[in-house]
Amino acid sequence: MAMTERVGVLIMYFALVYHVGAAQKVMPVAGPDIFKNKNTALDKLLPGEKINNVISFGAKPDGKFDCTQAFMDAWQATCHSKVQARFLVPEGTFLVSSMFFAGPCSTPEPVTIQVVGTIVATTDLSEYENNEWLLFEDMDGIKLIGGGTFDGVGKKSWKTASNCKEKPHVACVRNPSSIYFHRIKNGIIQNIKSTNPKGFHIFVTNCANIRLRRLKLTAPDESPNTDGIHISHSIGVKVARNTIETGDDCISMIHGSHQVSINDVNCGPGHGISIGSLGKYEEELEVKEIRVKNVSMVGTQNGLRIKTWPDLYPGHASDISFSDITMQNVKNPIVIDQEYQCSSQCKASLVKIKDVVFSNIKGTTTTPIAVDLRCSNKFPCESIKLENIDLSLKTKPSGSRCANIKPIYKGLQNPPGCL
């Protein structure tokens, strides 16, 4: 398919998906967390578990042969097995185009995808008509593990990437994500590596009870729109013990992100940890119950940021905390930006932000404004607390900026709080 045709079809497709979804903005139901109180770091074969090695289905580990059909056949055998089965990618390099790992599956226990080798993406974007690389969909119980690597081979595609984050309309076509979880309940992505994605490393949407652990996500700092972990319309997402070095947000959470915990993450280079942008679409679901703690940021463009579009659509973000964060040479450490992508004469954002805590945040910044809190003049921020903030600009004092907000201060404040 020619590139112009692909773009046209995708624009029509996503416009239709958005139109349908606009009337169906419903959060997934979490249900029982089947991995709760279990040692998910331990992987062992279950009694009688069948191993479906992709090589047995015709895949070749040379990095040149197109293994897509072999992967699809191995997945069908695994997912529809009546006995416990796992999908195995052994050592070697396997070239794969866009494909679905679609459920529901028939295995008695959660299905395991064990990647030991390297999976390499094809480079022709016209093959990605689903607009993602590897799609995992409609499953209750899945483990993606193995220590292997997902190589998105994204460098060529970055040159023509559209920055959908900066375009307040739905027709923007972003580059394919490497790993896309959609309508997944009880999912684990653990101990894998992702490098050079065309778009996001990992995209989690319409999911519940998801664990993202011990991941190594890397891309050059100049790679556009390569978010490490992107979350939307999902509940009960736990992110822990990850290292993320990428060209965009290390972790981003947009509308409908509920009960997300982020702990023990190394971030940088990248754009930090972001909530938003919010207020971009009609009938957005609230962002709430977000916990970010024990994060180290080095050389990031932003640190902790909440961002909303001015004068588009209503939204809400509440019950959010950022605690025990260390920063080294971070450009914009603490930001609430309700004037996102607005250069002058901004109209008021319609997104309401309240009950946000920034506590025990220390380190160094590279710009004079370390704390920048610019809220909506139509819906001023409420109950924004800053406790024990210590952010220095080398040998010079850093500063704060506030608009339409009355922050609540406690403990050390460096820079000094707004008057």
Side-chain angles (χ1 to χ4, degrees):
M1 180 184 293
M3 181 59 68
T4 54
E5 292 177 347
R6 171 185 175 268
V7 171
V9 169
L10 284 172
I11 287 173
M12 292 175 64
Y13 171 76
F14 280 101
L16 177 61
V17 169
Y18 171 74
H19 177 73
V20 173
Q24 300 177 340
K25 295 290 181 71
V26 178
M27 286 296 297
V29 178
D33 182 352
I34 65 175
F35 295 114
K36 187 175 182 180
N37 299 323
K38 293 185 178 180
N39 183 5
T40 58
L42 178 64
D43 175 52
K44 61 180 181 180
L45 287 174
L46 296 176
E49 184 170 1
K50 182 179 179 181
I51 299 176
N52 290 320
N53 189 322
V54 294
I55 292 178
S56 300
F57 291 81
K60 297 180 180 179
D62 59 4
K64 299 177 182 179
F65 179 79
D66 188 339
C67 301
T68 307
Q69 187 61 51
F71 272 52
M72 292 175 65
D73 292 343
W75 173 247
Q76 289 297 315
T78 303
C79 181
H80 298 300
S81 173
K82 300 300 182 182
V83 300
Q84 194 60 33
R86 73 170 55 201
F87 178 101
L88 174 64
V89 181
E91 292 184 356
T93 302
F94 299 84
L95 181 68
V96 174
S97 185
S98 177
M99 68 166 286
F100 271 101
F101 292 81
C105 292
S106 304
T107 54
E109 299 291 334
V111 68
T112 297
I113 299 174
Q114 182 180 2
V115 179
V116 179
T118 298
I119 304 177
V120 176
T122 55
T123 57
D124 185 353
L125 286 178
S126 67
E127 298 178 3
Y128 292 77
E129 294 188 15
N130 297 311
N131 209 46
E132 315 295 347
W133 179 25
L134 303 175
L135 301 90
F136 301 82
E137 189 170 74
D138 293 327
M139 283 179 267
D140 189 348
I142 177 176
K143 296 189 291 184
L144 178 56
I145 62 173
T149 299
F150 295 79
D151 186 349
V153 196
K155 185 175 181 180
K156 182 179 177 181
S157 70
W158 299 335
K159 298 177 182 179
T160 57
S162 296
N163 192 344
C164 297
K165 292 183 179 182
E166 297 183 1
K167 296 182 179 181
H169 55 76
V170 298
C172 183
V173 180
R174 56 179 176 78
N175 273 2
S177 304
S178 285
I179 297 172
Y180 183 84
F181 265 32
H182 182 227
R183 297 198 299 263
I184 299 291
K185 291 184 178 180
N186 298 302
I188 293 175
I189 305 178
Q190 178 174 279
N191 189 28
I192 65 164
K193 297 177 282 291
S194 169
T195 185
N196 297 331
K198 294 176 174 63
F200 303 152
H201 290 267
I202 298 173
F203 192 160
V204 175
T205 184
N206 288 284
C207 294
N209 300 336
I210 303 296
R211 288 167 169 83
L212 309 170
R213 302 178 68 250
R214 297 167 59 198
L215 308 177
K216 174 75 172 180
L217 313 179
T218 59
D221 59 2
E222 68 273 11
S223 58
N225 306 310
T226 53
D227 290 24
I229 298 170
H230 184 75
I231 302 167
S232 75
H233 282 92
S234 295
I235 183 169
V237 181
K238 298 179 180 180
V239 182
R241 300 183 182 181
N242 302 318
T243 296
I244 306 174
E245 304 168 359
T246 196
D248 209 300
D249 296 332
C250 291
I251 302 172
S252 54
M253 295 159 278
I254 60 171
H255 46 92
S257 296
H258 291 188
Q259 297 175 15
V260 178
S261 68
I262 299 168
N263 184 30
D264 192 9
V265 171
N266 296 317
C267 167
H271 292 185
I273 294 178
S274 291
I275 294 174
S277 55
L278 305 178
K280 184 177 181 180
Y281 303 112
E282 292 184 80
E283 300 182 12
E284 289 187 356
L285 295 176
E286 183 178 8
V287 174
K288 64 180 182 180
E289 297 179 65
I290 310 297
R291 303 290 179 265
V292 181
K293 64 180 181 179
N294 300 323
V295 174
S296 172
M297 298 182 171
V298 179
T300 55
Q301 184 180 99
N302 301 292
L304 310 168
R305 179 169 58 154
I306 303 174
K307 53 185 178 178
T308 76
W309 288 92
D311 192 35
L312 282 179
Y313 299 105
H316 296 84
S318 65
D319 192 7
I320 299 165
S321 69
F322 304 96
S323 61
D324 302 318
I325 314 293
T326 61
M327 300 185 180
Q328 180 180 340
N329 297 328
V330 171
K331 188 175 181 182
N332 303 299
I334 297 175
V335 177
I336 295 178
D337 180 7
Q338 297 208 255
E339 302 171 357
Y340 183 59
Q341 298 297 326
C342 181
S343 57
S344 62
Q345 296 182 336
C346 295
K347 295 184 179 179
S349 174
L350 304 181
V351 177
K352 180 68 175 180
I353 299 174
K354 66 177 183 178
D355 299 326
V356 181
V357 178
F358 300 92
S359 68
N360 299 326
I361 299 170
K362 63 182 180 180
T364 58
T365 178
T366 60
T367 53
I369 303 297
V371 177
D372 192 1
L373 309 175
R374 286 169 291 140
C375 297
S376 168
N377 61 15
K378 193 167 187 177
F379 297 100
C381 296
E382 293 182 3
S383 189
I384 311 299
K385 301 177 182 179
L386 292 94
E387 179 177 357
N388 296 329
I389 309 298
D390 189 5
L391 297 165
S392 301
L393 177 62
K394 293 183 179 180
T395 59
K396 300 178 181 179
S398 58
S400 300
R401 176 170 57 177
C402 300
N404 305 308
I405 182 175
K406 295 179 180 179
I408 301 167
Y409 296 107
K410 182 179 180 180
L412 175 66
Q413 297 296 322
N414 177 32
C418 298
L419 299 177

